[in-house]
Amino acid sequence: MQHTIKRSGAAGARTGLVSRLLMMTFLALALLPAVAAGPSGAGAPLRNPRLESMQVEVWPEFDRPAALVILRGALAADTKLPARVNLRIAASSGGPSAMAYSAAAGGNLLNLEHERSDAKDFITLRFTVPERYFHVEFYDPLATGTSERNYTYVWPGDLAVNRMSVVVQEPAAASDFSVLPKLDATATGQDGLRYYSAELGAQEAGKTLPIKVAYKKTDVRTSTEILQPKAQTNAPAASAAVPAAGSSDEVTKGVLVFILAVSLLIGIGMAFLWWRERANTGATRPGGAGACTQCGTPRDPGDRFCSKCGARLKQS
């Protein structure tokens, strides 16, 4: 009897072990798609479409005491649209300041909705691009407490890129400017600032690209503030510089002429009315007996003497 119980217990243990193994296998198969879709580590790329081009622009201290980072991406021509994109930016940025898309390179930018999830070092942006071109901007902190300024942006390598290019703007009033990787092409933009750029070729997914900027600057103002035209405090008043309608003498003469013309017209009108009244009064009195024979002053019924010259009026 005791032997039978031991065998039954061993068989039960083997059955329980098999059940647990089957359950673990089932869970592993169920989680496999999620594991494949997500990053396996802090630097692992997310599942993304391939980019035909990506231009990374860094503008230190442009309009804020921070580094403005601009990402201009173009999906590969054979990408099926709309396309789902996952892109990480530094958590220190606090999130994007602008996200947009366009139907053509350099076309009108339209607002792009996005979702985000925050982690310790990165903010992951998830968005669906209806067209090939997308645009992301964010501000990253830059220490400006000393004259020695340094900033590093790291492209996280979330997307494979056929043509990677980098453009860095030199701040106004900066000196000893340098950038790595070395950007050989230089040009002065319409804003008067100098830009350094280079084509860096293909960039595979999972490969990071640090962009290091260093310079000296003692002016605490941003480039926008430095380039802004200074107010002309000594400029003459607008009324003195550009007369509104002529000198004061010309205005006075014009007013006087207007008043005289109006007065003359009023006088002529009153004289005409008086003449017409007199003519009508004389016409209503037959034989001309309605007026004084001496001075012609109209008379009223019942008058015996002229109201003007005092002559006796003939009675009809």
Side-chain angles (χ1 to χ4, degrees):
M1 178 61 111
Q2 186 176 1
H3 181 69
T4 303
I5 293 175
K6 288 183 178 180
R7 291 189 60 184
S8 299
R14 286 195 298 270
T15 302
L17 179 60
V18 172
S19 299
R20 287 194 293 272
L21 289 174
L22 290 174
M23 182 61 70
M24 293 175 64
T25 303
F26 175 78
L27 290 175
L29 292 174
L31 294 174
L32 184 59
V35 173
S40 59
L46 302 172
R47 177 171 292 180
N48 270 313
R50 191 175 187 89
L51 295 182
E52 179 62 32
S53 65
M54 166 57 69
Q55 179 167 295
V56 178
E57 300 185 20
V58 179
W59 297 7
E61 299 185 66
F62 175 65
D63 55 356
R64 296 185 190 180
L68 172 60
V69 179
I70 305 173
L71 306 177
R72 306 178 192 270
L75 296 170
D78 58 353
T79 303
K80 184 179 180 181
L81 299 175
R84 186 71 171 173
V85 176
N86 300 277
L87 178 63
R88 290 174 297 170
I89 62 176
S92 57
S93 69
S97 59
M99 293 189 62
Y101 71 93
S102 63
N108 293 331
L109 294 175
L110 303 174
N111 288 329
L112 180 61
E113 299 293 333
H114 71 280
E115 301 172 352
R116 58 179 283 177
S117 58
D118 295 28
K120 180 180 179 181
D121 298 322
F122 293 99
I123 296 173
T124 301
L125 306 176
R126 296 181 174 86
F127 50 94
T128 300
V129 188
E131 302 289 350
R132 285 186 57 205
Y133 301 90
F134 65 89
H135 181 107
V136 178
E137 293 185 9
F138 61 90
Y139 288 89
D140 212 10
L142 189 158
T144 58
T146 64
S147 61
E148 301 285 343
R149 310 286 172 85
N150 297 274
Y151 173 73
T152 299
Y153 166 73
V154 179
W155 165 253
D158 291 338
L159 299 95
V161 183
N162 293 338
R163 291 183 294 107
M164 172 68 77
S165 61
V166 175
V167 177
V168 178
Q169 180 192 86
E170 180 179 344
S175 61
D176 296 337
F177 185 85
S178 64
V179 59
L180 290 174
K182 188 176 180 180
L183 308 180
D184 295 326
T186 60
T188 301
Q190 294 181 352
D191 52 12
L193 297 175
R194 182 171 293 276
Y195 292 82
Y196 298 77
S197 62
E199 295 279 349
L200 303 182
Q203 190 82 7
E204 292 303 320
K207 183 180 179 181
T208 60
L209 174 64
I211 301 170
K212 300 180 180 181
V213 181
Y215 57 94
K216 292 181 180 179
K217 184 171 179 285
T218 57
D219 197 324
V220 297
R221 296 175 299 168
T222 65
S223 295
T224 300
E225 292 170 337
I226 294 173
L227 296 175
Q228 185 176 2
K230 297 180 180 179
Q232 298 179 0
T233 56
N234 298 325
S239 58
V242 182
S247 65
S248 59
D249 291 341
E250 292 175 347
V251 173
T252 302
K253 290 179 182 178
V255 172
L256 291 175
V257 171
F258 176 76
I259 293 174
L260 290 175
V262 172
S263 300
L264 181 61
L265 289 175
I266 292 174
I268 294 174
M270 292 180 66
F272 174 76
L273 292 174
W274 177 84
W275 174 81
R276 189 173 67 175
E277 173 105 15
R278 181 177 177 183
N280 290 339
T281 303
T284 58
R285 294 176 179 145
C292 174
T293 57
Q294 297 295 324
C295 67
T297 301
R299 56 178 289 184
D300 291 330
D303 288 348
R304 292 179 180 272
F305 299 93
C306 178
S307 61
K308 184 176 182 179
C309 66
R312 182 180 293 274
L313 301 176
K314 293 182 179 181
Q315 302 297 314
S316 55

